[in-house]
Amino acid sequence: MTIHDVAAAAGVSISTASKALNNTGRMGAETRERVKRIAGEIGFRPNALARGLLSKRSFTIGLLTNDTYGRFTLPVMAGISEALVDHGVSVFLCAIEDDPALGQIHVDAMLDKQVDGIIASGKRLDRRLPVDLSSLPVPVVYAFTEGTPNSVTLRSDDGQGARLAVEWLAKLGRHRIAHITGPEDFFSVRERASAYREVAGDAEPVLYGIWAESWGHEAVGSIWDRPGEKPDAVFCGNDQIARGVVDALRERGVRVPEDVSVVGFDNWEILAAQTRPPLTSIDMGLKELGREAGLTVLALAEGRPVEPGVRKLPCRLVVRQSCGGMSPTE
Amino acid sequence: MTIHDVAAAAGVSISTASKALNNTGRMGAETRERVKRIAGEIGFRPNALARGLLSKRSFTIGLLTNDTYGRFTLPVMAGISEALVDHGVSVFLCAIEDDPALGQIHVDAMLDKQVDGIIASGKRLDRRLPVDLSSLPVPVVYAFTEGTPNSVTLRSDDGQGARLAVEWLAKLGRHRIAHITGPEDFFSVRERASAYREVAGDAEPVLYGIWAESWGHEAVGSIWDRPGEKPDAVFCGNDQIARGVVDALRERGVRVPEDVSVVGFDNWEILAAQTRPPLTSIDMGLKELGREAGLTVLALAEGRPVEPGVRKLPCRLVVRQSCGGMSPTE
DNA sequence: TTGAGGAGAGAAAACCTTTTCTCACGCTGC
DNA sequence: GCAGCGTGAGAAAAGGTTTTCTCTCCTCAA
């Protein structure tokens, strides 16, 4: 089913058929309608390859990621797809592990296929993908991964997210707020910790560890075993740690949320909702991040100007039951 | 950088350049080498759109899924990508939620882009995607979702997986093996339960519930609170349930694995490894499934014959510490 | 010396669409 | 009655590549 068939069936030339279908050119209204009707009847759909060859636009972009579990990439991907499907753009997903060679293969394959742009994503804000995207013939947007100097980079505002969490705890009347978090060499860990300090002061030390439940357990042990007053709230670096914290507290007979409020980070639905009690958590808004990234790369592909630099998107507090108290709108 | 530039730089015609680069046609060996060298030097890469237009092969396939969390789709995707990247094939990922309209939009977009084939995937073996793929102009392979009657369908062998689990427990000397699993209306639940019955007999009832930790908890409660002898092993319908079971047992002072062995299903790394103790689990081999699906759709796209029907791929036992005992090779 | 045949290379068509250019025709205004 | 113009529609080129066909030499054998 090519445009030839449409033209033949409508008794017009190919050029007329094309113009009719694209609402361009001059022609009689009934001719246009007839061509359109016939195209619909025989189920004509234009070949995107041929169209792309001419227009230099493939309506295709690539998403490059090294996030194997997809915990971060999946929401980003969903946002991108959601934003771009209306524009007829499809997305190549390329998981490149941490392998530079594999990354290069995928980038080359995408360029061969004339993608209109590339979105680079990852599992960590302060690490680069193992492949250089700085001088590609197509626009590149970095989302949730570190970009090159003059690039467009989108990331979550972890400081604001942390502030949100701690202020929420404060609003609930908690004032001895501990912070149990991940490895200090993560930029986002430092950013969250410093926002935490701003709001909570330094009554409690920040406990750095690893991104695991076991660390949440262990940290609760070290805090509750030491003498002196105990915290009445814990702000955790991610939901896994929070889960460990909640479990450890319950095992010690400390009630959550009655005695201690706990806030997580990431709002990893499948974990946060299964914890007992379900975790109040900070959502980084990765889907919105993806949506923005999609629209941005599209803008660049269409030649619209986008000012370079790092753009931080706000986090959101998702209230469940691990803090007790009021609803978030009060 | 087009083949015109290569031809000009090498002082040959376009056709000669093309033939040189593709190792086709007749020509002097040094001419061929010279063209290749120059193409390499100026960084020529053929335009896949133009090539696809002519060859009717876009070296592109689509992966359609309604699995939002990507827990099943992600490993499948990884397998597909891994198998096809060597063949120069890129993959469009289309997440269609459960929306028929969205599904149709994505399918149309992919067909417009002349994909060589489509792989349909999902989150459940016994459900169809909300879009009809039965009479598309491109080959379709179903992976981890129900296919249409005469299609090629790939799925995990859940019966064999369940057998693996129960036999493993038996081999460890466990003989009162309980089965706590998901909703009975899942085909895979029934399949696993019936394999369990075959091996374990019906000393213990099968407990059907929901796919949640809370159900694991609850089920342990109902078993351990009833009078009489207790199980010495629990085979769980998935890792979330297993997690709930392990936690509930620990809370009751029942030791895992000393007193009771626990096996999960899905081998959801991030959960199984964080459980205390880490879960022995059945891996459905979704990556291999993806790989097979990729190679199969490629075969179909190239016109090689593939016999239709349902092909079951074996599950694998992944031993961690929740069963105790020996290593898996003994 | 001539004819056949083969080797090397180029011309051109094809893939499908969009877009620009050209053409024919009928009408209006002088 | 004729120049000019607007309208509707088609011809053709372009985009980058592959492939088939053709052409020109050159060599070798008769």
Side-chain angles (χ1 to χ4, degrees), chain A residues 34-151:
Chain A
R34 180 164 43 92
V35 172
K36 282 183 174 177
R37 181 173 47 74
I38 289 177
E41 281 170 13
I42 68 176
F44 166 74
R45 313 215 87 225
N47 182 323
L49 264 43
R51 181 180 272 182
L53 190 55
L54 207 49
S55 68
K56 308 285 189 193
R57 294 267 281 109
S58 64
F59 289 90
T60 280
I61 69 153
L63 174 60
L64 213 58
T65 178
N66 65 350
D67 172 25
T68 318
Y69 292 115
R71 201 159 116 219
F72 304 115
T73 294
L74 234 98
V76 172
M77 169 79 200
I80 296 172
S81 187
E82 204 174 288
L84 295 187
V85 72
D86 301 327
H87 300 267
V89 175
S90 304
V91 184
F92 288 123
L93 179 58
C94 305
I96 62 172
E97 315 286 325
D98 276 302
D99 180 347
L102 187 58
Q104 195 58 52
I105 290 177
H106 271 123
V107 170
D108 287 345
M110 291 196 290
L111 293 179
D112 289 353
K113 280 158 191 151
Q114 311 291 113
V115 290
D116 296 333
I118 290 180
I119 298 175
S121 187
K123 54 192 169 193
R124 202 170 153 172
L125 284 174
D126 52 355
R127 285 285 185 275
R128 293 244 168 80
L129 291 189
V131 54
D132 179 26
L133 305 173
S134 62
S135 47
L136 257 38
V138 298
V140 176
V141 170
Y142 296 85
F144 205 78
T145 190
E146 172 135 9
T148 42
N150 259 7
S151 60

Side-chain angles (χ1 to χ4, degrees), chain B residues 34-228:
Chain B
R34 180 164 43 93
V35 172
K36 281 184 175 177
R37 181 173 46 74
I38 289 177
E41 282 170 13
I42 68 176
F44 166 74
R45 312 215 87 225
N47 182 323
L49 264 42
R51 180 180 274 182
L53 190 55
L54 205 50
S55 67
K56 309 285 190 190
R57 294 266 282 108
S58 64
F59 289 90
T60 279
I61 70 151
L63 174 60
L64 213 58
T65 178
N66 65 351
D67 172 25
T68 318
Y69 292 115
R71 200 158 117 220
F72 303 115
T73 294
L74 238 102
V76 172
M77 168 81 200
I80 296 172
S81 186
E82 204 173 288
L84 296 188
V85 71
D86 300 328
H87 300 268
V89 175
S90 304
V91 183
F92 287 123
L93 178 58
C94 304
I96 61 172
E97 315 287 324
D98 275 304
D99 181 347
L102 187 58
Q104 195 58 52
I105 291 177
H106 271 123
V107 169
D108 287 345
M110 290 196 292
L111 293 179
D112 289 353
K113 280 157 191 150
Q114 312 290 114
V115 290
D116 296 333
I118 290 180
I119 298 175
S121 186
K123 54 192 170 193
R124 204 171 151 169
L125 283 174
D126 52 355
R127 286 285 185 274
R128 292 243 168 80
L129 291 189
V131 54
D132 179 27
L133 305 173
S134 63
S135 47
L136 257 38
V138 298
V140 176
V141 170
Y142 297 85
F144 205 77
T145 191
E146 172 135 8
T148 41
N150 260 7
S151 60
V152 180
T153 302
L154 267 48
R155 45 159 301 193
S156 51
D157 189 344
D158 288 44
Q160 171 264 349
R163 227 168 291 124
L164 222 51
V166 183
E167 281 165 0
W168 176 243
L169 290 169
K171 206 147 112 192
L172 291 167
R174 305 303 192 175
H175 289 107
R176 295 192 62 86
I177 304 173
H179 184 31
I180 304 176
T181 185
E184 194 170 2
D185 75 297
F186 274 64
F187 179 71
S188 56
V189 165
R190 297 196 298 279
E191 201 171 10
R192 293 172 197 174
S194 108
Y196 155 81
R197 278 258 174 277
E198 275 175 36
V199 184
D202 43 13
E204 295 284 338
V206 175
L207 297 180
Y208 300 99
I210 59 170
W211 297 121
E213 287 188 33
S214 59
W215 162 237
H217 261 277
E218 193 185 317
V220 164
S222 77
I223 295 177
W224 261 261
D225 286 344
R226 81 180 178 208

Side-chain angles (χ1 to χ4, degrees), chain A residues 115-280:
Chain A
V115 290
D116 296 333
I118 290 180
I119 298 175
S121 187
K123 54 192 169 193
R124 202 170 153 172
L125 284 174
D126 52 355
R127 285 285 185 275
R128 293 244 168 80
L129 291 189
V131 54
D132 179 26
L133 305 173
S134 62
S135 47
L136 257 38
V138 298
V140 176
V141 170
Y142 296 85
F144 205 78
T145 190
E146 172 135 9
T148 42
N150 259 7
S151 60
V152 180
T153 303
L154 267 47
R155 46 159 301 194
S156 51
D157 189 344
D158 289 42
Q160 171 263 350
R163 229 168 289 126
L164 221 51
V166 184
E167 282 167 359
W168 176 244
L169 290 169
K171 204 148 112 193
L172 290 168
R174 305 302 193 177
H175 289 106
R176 294 191 63 87
I177 304 172
H179 185 32
I180 302 176
T181 185
E184 195 171 2
D185 74 298
F186 274 65
F187 178 71
S188 56
V189 164
R190 296 197 298 278
E191 201 171 9
R192 294 173 197 173
S194 108
Y196 155 82
R197 277 256 174 278
E198 276 175 35
V199 183
D202 43 14
E204 295 285 337
V206 175
L207 297 179
Y208 300 100
I210 60 170
W211 297 121
E213 287 188 32
S214 59
W215 162 237
H217 260 276
E218 192 185 318
V220 164
S222 77
I223 295 178
W224 262 262
D225 286 343
R226 82 181 177 204
E229 211 177 341
K230 304 294 176 269
D232 55 10
V234 183
F235 168 43
C236 301
N238 77 355
D239 289 341
Q240 284 177 282
I241 292 175
R243 166 88 199 236
V245 165
V246 169
D247 286 353
L249 289 174
R250 189 177 29 206
E251 284 170 24
R252 292 181 163 258
V254 179
R255 293 170 307 164
V256 176
E258 293 82 355
D259 303 328
V260 173
S261 295
V262 176
V263 180
F265 211 105
D266 286 356
N267 189 35
W268 190 21
E269 181 82 23
I270 209 155
L271 181 62
Q274 295 265 331
T275 302
R276 293 171 308 152
L279 281 177
T280 290

